[in-house]
Amino acid sequence: MVGTYDVNIWYSYDRNTKTDVAKETISYVEVVPLHYLDKRHKPSTAEVSAIATQEPNCVEASISPHGDEVRLRVEREFKVEMIAETKVYVFVNPNGAEDLDDKHIDFDSHDDGDYEDLDPDLLDEELN
């Protein structure tokens, strides 16, 4: 994600008799890791969008030891959404859900070998 935001710092000087505002535009590049992405995924099939869910917010400000800089810690919040193709096997029971209580469904019988490199812990991480 690439963007900019403005920082305005109001300050006083000359024994607090005068005031001014320092203004600066900050540019940033935020790398969003897609660690849930299947390593064999073809990026050409994905749509990734990101929006800021919160304006940048200064959570800490301090003056450098030499007094020549103002140091800021700014937090930003984003929502990133990725839409891509995937395969899902869905078991359809013509008798309804009541027949599934005592039956074992073998989804492996449909496996065509395309998913050998998938991370088996992926679902566990998302559920926790």
Side-chain angles (χ1 to χ4, degrees):
M1 171 167 257
V2 177
T4 62
Y5 58 89
D6 294 329
V7 173
N8 299 304
I9 300 174
W10 175 81
Y11 63 95
S12 65
Y13 61 98
D14 199 17
R15 297 184 182 197
N16 291 329
T17 60
K18 298 179 182 177
T19 62
D20 204 352
V21 177
K23 299 175 185 180
E24 187 170 341
T25 298
I26 306 295
S27 299
Y28 64 90
V29 175
E30 188 75 34
V31 177
V32 179
L34 298 173
H35 61 276
Y36 291 120
L37 185 62
D38 181 3
K39 292 171 183 59
R40 296 178 349 167
H41 171 73
K42 297 179 180 90
S44 63
T45 64
E47 293 178 32
V48 179
S49 64
I51 60 168
T53 57
Q54 168 183 310
E55 295 294 324
N57 185 32
C58 180
V59 293
E60 184 179 346
S62 62
I63 298 174
S64 68
H66 299 292
D68 58 348
E69 292 180 326
V70 175
R71 296 181 179 167
L72 303 174
R73 188 165 60 96
V74 177
E75 70 178 3
R76 301 181 309 264
E77 186 175 293
F78 306 103
K79 174 184 166 189
V80 179
E81 180 178 72
M82 183 176 104
I83 300 172
E85 294 179 14
T86 189
K87 291 181 182 178
V88 177
Y89 288 112
V90 178
F91 176 77
V92 178
N93 185 353
N95 299 321
E98 64 275 355
D99 287 350
L100 295 177
D101 293 338
D102 297 327
K103 292 188 179 179
H104 174 72
I105 302 168
D106 184 15
F107 288 104
D108 292 331
S109 65
H110 301 290
D111 191 8
D112 58 5
D114 287 345
Y115 301 100
E116 292 174 0
D117 297 331
L118 286 177
D119 183 3
D121 299 324
L122 177 65
L123 290 176
D124 291 338
E125 289 176 15
E126 289 183 334
L127 294 175
N128 291 334

